[in-house]
């Protein structure tokens, strides 16, 4: 399987895992899996577009919150304000309120799943375009 398909397959598997966790009412782990997908989408799009944040993350050996936020703001220029809103929802709602603070209900996490699906669909379209 080509690397593009492997990357997408892994993200789709994580999405299914998150949905399974929601069925089990494990809100904290479901929130973190959904956020993990959003983070990977930002990283992969930053790589595809050769953003300086990707270069810096490679140089220092890791992505920081500052780099993710900066990359998301630059990606907003390519994909629109809605894309940045999806990132904010992933970070503020799912990662902070859902995972770290454990404040979300199953329904609140489920409502935000579509945001992650939209981010994933954006990456799918971009990966298909960049591989052709």
């Amino acid at each position: 399987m080509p690397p593009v398909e492997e990357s997408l397959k892994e993200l789709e598997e994580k999405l299914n895992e998150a949905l399974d966790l929601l069925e089990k009412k494990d809100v904290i782990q479901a929130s973190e899996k959904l956020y993990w997908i959003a983070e990977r989408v930002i990283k992969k799009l930053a790589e595809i577009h050769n953003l300086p944040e990707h270069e810096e993350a490679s140089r220092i050996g890791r992505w920081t919150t500052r780099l993710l936020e900066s990359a998301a703001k630059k990606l907003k220029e390519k994909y629109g304000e809605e894309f940045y809103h999806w990132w904010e929802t992933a970070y503020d709602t799912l990662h902070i309120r859902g995972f770290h603070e454990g404040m979300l209900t199953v329904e609140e996490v489920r409502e935000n799943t579509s945001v992650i699906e939209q981010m994933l669909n954006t990456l799918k379209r971009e990966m298909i375009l960049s591989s052709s």
Side-chain angles (χ1 to χ4, degrees):
M1 188 179 297
V4 169
E5 290 175 20
E6 286 177 11
S7 296
L8 291 174
K9 184 176 185 209
E10 179 184 18
L11 294 172
E12 288 169 346
E13 286 172 359
K14 292 290 184 191
L15 179 59
N16 288 330
E17 288 173 23
L19 296 173
D20 289 344
L21 288 164
L22 278 178
E23 289 302 314
K24 297 174 186 172
K25 301 190 184 329
D26 189 343
V27 174
I28 291 172
Q29 290 305 310
S31 294
E32 191 59 6
K33 284 214 187 289
L34 291 168
Y35 170 73
W36 184 91
I37 296 165
E39 207 178 77
R40 293 316 175 280
V41 168
I42 296 292
K43 292 174 183 180
K44 189 64 183 168
L45 289 172
E47 177 184 357
I48 289 169
H49 293 292
N50 285 331
L51 296 183
E53 291 79 4
H54 178 263
E55 185 178 315
E56 185 175 344
S58 296
R59 186 182 60 74
I60 66 174
R62 70 186 188 96
W63 279 85
T64 63
T65 302
R66 181 187 61 78
L67 288 173
L68 288 164
E69 178 72 15
S70 179
K73 285 180 179 175
K74 286 187 177 137
L75 292 166
K76 171 179 74 171
E77 301 304 316
K78 297 182 183 301
Y79 302 111
E81 188 69 39
E82 190 175 46
F83 184 87
Y84 185 72
H85 170 72
W86 298 336
W87 164 250
E88 285 183 310
T89 299
Y91 184 78
D92 295 337
T93 304
L94 295 169
H95 184 62
I96 301 299
R97 292 185 60 229
F99 177 70
H100 286 293
E101 297 174 354
M103 295 180 62
L104 299 179
T105 65
V106 169
E107 193 52 43
E108 289 170 321
V109 174
R110 189 172 280 123
E111 287 170 4
N112 286 292
T113 301
S114 65
V115 167
I116 304 306
E117 290 169 335
Q118 291 295 330
M119 290 184 81
L120 187 53
N121 288 336
T122 300
L123 176 61
K124 284 178 189 177
R125 284 189 303 275
E126 195 63 50
M127 289 178 84
I128 290 167
L129 287 173
S130 68
S131 69
S132 56

